[in-house]
Amino acid sequence: MNRRLLGPAPQWLKRGRLAHIGLLAATTLVSYGCGPNAPNSQSGAAVSGAAVLARPEWPSSFAIGHDATPAQIAALDIDFGPDGAGAPPGSGSVAEGKVVYDTKCVGCHGLTGQEGPNDRLVGREPRDGFPFGESRGIRKTIGNYWPYATTIFDYVTRAMPMTSPGSLTPDEVYAVAAYILFLNEIIPEDAVMNAETLPAVVMPARDRFVPDDRVGGPEVR
Amino acid sequence: MGKISRRTMLGATGGLIAGGLLKTRADALAAEEGVARLQTTQADPTKVLGAPTSVLGQRAPGEQPRRQMGTPATTASSRTPIEQLQGIITPADLHFERHHAGVPAIDPDRYELLIHGMVDRPMTFTLDDLKRFPAESRLCFVECSGNGGAAYNRNAARERAPWQIDGLLSTSEWTGVLLSTLLREVRVDRGASWLLAEGGDAAVMSRSIPLEKALDDAMIAYGQNGEAIRPAQGYPARLLLPGWEGNAQVKWIRRLEISDRPSMTREETSKYTDPLADGTARQFSFVMDAKSIITFPAFPNVLPERGWWEITGLAWSGRGRITRVEVSTDGGRTWAPAQLQEPVLSKCTTRFRHIWNWDGGEALLMSRAIDETGYVQPDLETQIAARGAGSSYHYNTIRPWRVEADGRVFFAQGEGA
């Protein structure tokens, strides 16, 4: 969904965590987005190790390709980010989600989302801490590992059920997300998920994720 | 492979492809593929008229490398038999596979790449459009982030072949248009910093990619080793991010949405994040650190006699060129520089070789890669100390091999080496 219509990026992205990426890219684009012949010198310096963005003999545009129509964009633009960007209208309750789950998911993810045979979706253990780095024995689930509830909607819309992907309506996906969140003891049984409530769910593992600090050089990280 | 008999190279134990078997299987395959004329070799080929020319070449009947599927066979991934290959290039039909919902059948005539979001001019490009732009070719590796998992284990099994450890690694010459070239056409907005890359497979695979990489060396690739990309590698076009984990290099690329924040897709939260011992998980850990693996001698090889043997393998780094590979035959007490085979390219596998006079006693072989940033491939305990024993992905520790006095070779990570 077009982020231009949205407010600024989340704080955690701004506060230096991934800022190096944002800043470098932005610097590059200032020169590059504005002028036809800008790229080479300024942007080459801004992006470390950058390939030459354009050769001197290149025109500002090759005039190859086609304008994308709003309909073409709308047909493909299915992502649903943590800020609610891209959320389609619709809603679903925990009870409705149980019906979806029991008919379309249970065979691969188990009666309560824990039994498999495929990925385990439910489980809060261990409730204290986040010991996944210490031992490989603990199964990751939506309840103990996923940082954002919106990812359930985004992923299930794309890829599930595995054998008929993309077949669920937005109402069904909101509902099954509600049911999975309920089974994970994250939302109450009477909760309804929609474009506003789903992004507002705070996941237990929300603050566990940190940016990559490996940078090469002699230190092993 | 010259002087070494096939049985020696493949090892006496456990292989599907011990000498005799291989021949039978090759015969069966040849018949299957309608190349019966290649079935038998001649005792004296100088006395029999040879086979005519053909529209499509075949491998020699006795040379039938196959992707390794594991037991039980998995449908989500297959591995490159790295120990059966020479040099650095992976034949396209042996490139490893990792799919999240199978290989889609995409009509190249209907294929379009959409670029939209924080841009002045949202655009679509057909395959012909993509091919009309100035093209580039480059050699680089593609590696699954989970490659090497079998080596990140103090109790690793001894009977592990190189493909089981590092077979989610392949190297190709990729051809395509630099993503920066396409982004000039759509004119990215000031303030944009990420893009969402999305595939046209049944998982509609999606990953958020920093715009910095898109403007550096990212490519929309449509060529692989001189021909069209294979369906399993993303036909008709894929995102190529040299040096970065394979999962982010979205195959069957259909959409790029420019934005100012990551989308937090399943593949960058639930998966492909690296939990650490301090109770956090590294996210957007894209770059593959320097690694190396000795591919000969390795399990299940058996060295038939003492004497001169060439230790060889692959080294690679997602951060640039390999500057040095060191080999130890005494479990890391002493190290000698290996010979690096040209070409030595950035973000590409480098073939290394080290000639060794085996005295017939026990030996513990190791290799360690050093890249142009000065990073030295660590041993297992160093990496566990930095990350925790349960950490996942980006397993780049030293891979040791034990040569026993009878010539058998075993994976030795489980020895706590």
Side-chain angles (χ1 to χ4, degrees):
Chain A
M1 277 284 149
N2 195 338
R3 261 96 186 166
R4 247 192 282 188
L5 306 173
L6 294 162
Q11 275 309 108
W12 76 269
L13 274 176
K14 295 209 152 154
R15 255 182 277 134
R17 292 182 130 191
L18 284 162
H20 62 290
I21 289 167
L23 287 178
L24 282 173
T27 317
T28 307
L29 289 165
V30 169
S31 55
Y32 158 129
C34 307
N37 300 315
N40 277 343
S41 46
Q42 299 108 312
S43 55
V47 178
S48 62
V52 178
L53 291 173
R55 295 183 201 290
E57 70 274 20
W58 285 10
S60 60
S61 165
F62 288 102
I64 302 170
H66 319 270
D67 286 314
T69 64
Q72 275 176 312
I73 296 170
L76 296 189
D77 192 2
I78 57 172
D79 51 287
F80 185 157
D83 48 18
S91 71
S93 66
V94 171
E96 287 159 347
K98 179 169 168 36
V99 176
V100 176
Y101 186 87
D102 288 349
T103 44
K104 301 188 171 173
C105 320
V106 71
C108 297
H109 293 292
L111 214 55
T112 67
Q114 303 184 60
E115 301 84 355
N118 294 120
D119 296 33
R120 180 171 179 168
L121 307 180
V122 173
R124 287 287 295 279
E125 279 69 35
R127 280 170 201 268
D128 299 323
F130 194 75
F132 301 98
E134 284 156 34
S135 151
R136 281 197 205 173
I138 310 151
R139 292 277 297 278
K140 294 173 191 157
T141 70
I142 290 175
N144 69 20
Y145 198 80
W146 285 36
Y148 298 97
T150 50
T151 309
I152 308 172
F153 190 104
D154 182 82
Y155 179 70
V156 171
T157 299
R158 293 170 188 279
M160 291 292 136
M162 190 113 205
T163 39
S164 46
S167 62
L168 302 184
T169 64
D171 285 346
E172 287 177 307
V173 185
Y174 279 121
V176 82
Y179 184 56
I180 291 170
L181 289 167
F182 165 70
L183 290 178
N184 276 297
E185 300 170 37
I186 295 168
I187 61 171
E189 193 160 8
D190 59 1
V192 171
M193 289 294 110
N194 59 35
E196 280 77 46
T197 54
L198 185 63
V201 172
V202 178
M203 300 294 279
R206 173 66 170 261
D207 294 325
R208 296 293 181 177
F209 290 80
V210 296
D212 186 9
D213 61 348
R214 298 169 308 139
V215 290
E219 196 186 336
V220 173
R221 291 181 179 172
Chain B
M1 303 270 149
K3 62 196 177 223
I4 311 159
S5 79
R6 176 163 300 278
R7 187 169 295 279
T8 304
M9 290 297 289
L10 295 174
T13 44
L16 273 171
I17 40 176
L21 247 181
L22 182 85
K23 210 169 173 193
T24 319
R25 196 163 131 220
D27 288 349
L29 285 161
E32 198 181 282
E33 291 163 11
V35 286
R37 65 194 164 75
L38 285 179
Q39 270 186 57
T40 47
T41 53
Q42 299 293 339
D44 183 357
T46 69
K47 298 294 181 289
V48 185
L49 179 64
T53 53
S54 57
V55 292
L56 194 62
Q58 302 286 343
R59 291 194 169 101
E63 305 289 342
Q64 298 290 328
R66 289 293 181 264
R67 283 198 282 241
Q68 302 289 332
M69 308 287 285
T71 340
T74 58
T75 51
S77 66
S78 67
R79 290 166 173 255
T80 296
I82 49 174
E83 62 273 38
Q84 294 183 46
L85 303 182
Q86 316 281 339
I88 58 172
I89 302 282
T90 310
D93 57 1
L94 297 176
H95 195 292
F96 84 88
E97 300 170 279
R98 175 74 179 96
H99 320 307
H100 288 263
V103 180
I106 297 173
D107 179 351
D109 295 332
R110 294 178 56 200
Y111 171 82
E112 273 182 344
L113 172 64
L114 168 67
I115 307 183
H116 72 114
M118 293 177 67
V119 300
D120 271 2
R121 184 185 174 200
M123 292 182 76
T124 62
F125 302 95
T126 66
L127 186 57
D128 284 344
D129 292 338
L130 294 177
K131 290 181 176 173
R132 221 179 118 189
F133 281 100
E136 288 216 357
S137 293
R138 76 171 290 165
L139 282 152
C140 64
F141 69 82
V142 175
E143 182 185 19
C144 177
S145 186
N147 206 30
Y152 197 66
N153 185 348
R154 288 177 175 130
N155 303 308
R158 301 182 78 206
E159 301 198 350
R160 281 275 176 278
W163 70 265
Q164 290 170 301
I165 300 164
D166 281 327
L168 298 169
L169 164 79
S170 305
T171 298
S172 309
E173 186 203 47
W174 301 98
T175 300
V177 49
L178 285 182
L179 184 47
S180 59
T181 304
L182 298 178
L183 295 181
R184 286 177 80 238
E185 300 293 319
V186 297
R187 294 189 302 273
V188 174
D189 288 357
R190 205 182 273 253
S193 50
W194 288 83
L195 58 85
L196 180 70
E198 182 178 280
D201 61 332
V204 201
M205 249 294 302
S206 57
R207 283 293 301 259
S208 305
I209 309 294
L211 194 57
E212 183 188 21
K213 181 69 172 178
L215 296 173
D216 181 7
D217 57 2
M219 181 190 278
I220 301 296
Y222 45 74
Q224 180 183 6
N225 294 347
E227 58 181 345
I229 283 189
R230 299 265 168 150
Q233 271 68 62
Y235 182 81
R238 73 174 301 163
L239 179 61
L240 189 79
L241 303 173
W244 284 22
E245 63 188 16
N247 181 267
Q249 308 186 41
V250 178
K251 294 183 282 190
W252 314 293
I253 188 85
R254 76 166 192 188
R255 182 167 79 97
L256 297 168
E257 178 174 359
I258 316 299
S259 83
D260 62 359
R261 67 201 73 188
S263 195
M264 303 297 177
T265 73
R266 181 250 191 177
E267 307 293 340
E268 60 209 23
T269 53
S270 169
K271 311 292 174 196
Y272 302 100
T273 50
D274 314 2
L276 304 174
D278 67 1
T280 64
R282 232 175 231 151
Q283 198 180 17
F284 303 115
S285 49
F286 294 113
V287 180
M288 302 306 292
D289 282 322
K291 277 185 201 176
S292 67
I293 181 170
I294 292 169
T295 54
F296 180 84
F299 179 81
N301 301 142
V302 181
L303 296 179
E305 58 183 31
R306 65 183 60 192
W308 289 98
W309 294 93
E310 187 178 74
I311 296 170
T312 186
L314 294 168
W316 63 103
S317 168
R319 297 191 193 277
R321 276 180 192 74
I322 291 295
T323 51
R324 204 149 42 103
V325 177
E326 296 173 339
V327 170
S328 174
T329 56
D330 56 12
R333 274 191 293 280
T334 60
W335 295 88
Q339 174 209 340
L340 301 189
Q341 172 73 63
E342 294 289 339
V344 178
L345 300 170
S346 181
K347 306 175 185 179
C348 189
T349 43
T350 295
R351 170 68 59 178
F352 68 87
R353 309 177 189 283
H354 178 72
I355 190 71
W356 174 49
N357 193 359
W358 182 42
D359 64 8
E362 287 210 350
L364 189 51
L365 310 184
M366 296 177 178
S367 64
R368 67 180 179 203
I370 296 133
D371 72 15
E372 63 181 75
T373 72
Y375 183 88
V376 183
Q377 182 181 7
D379 64 22
L380 179 64
E381 291 308 322
T382 305
Q383 195 165 73
I384 286 179
R387 299 183 186 173
S391 191
S392 23
Y393 305 107
H394 303 283
Y395 312 102
N396 64 309
T397 61
I398 289 171
R399 285 88 162 103
W401 300 100
R402 165 77 61 192
V403 181
E404 304 203 325
D406 62 6
R408 290 184 303 161
V409 186
F410 293 99
F411 188 49
Q413 194 72 289
E415 296 176 13

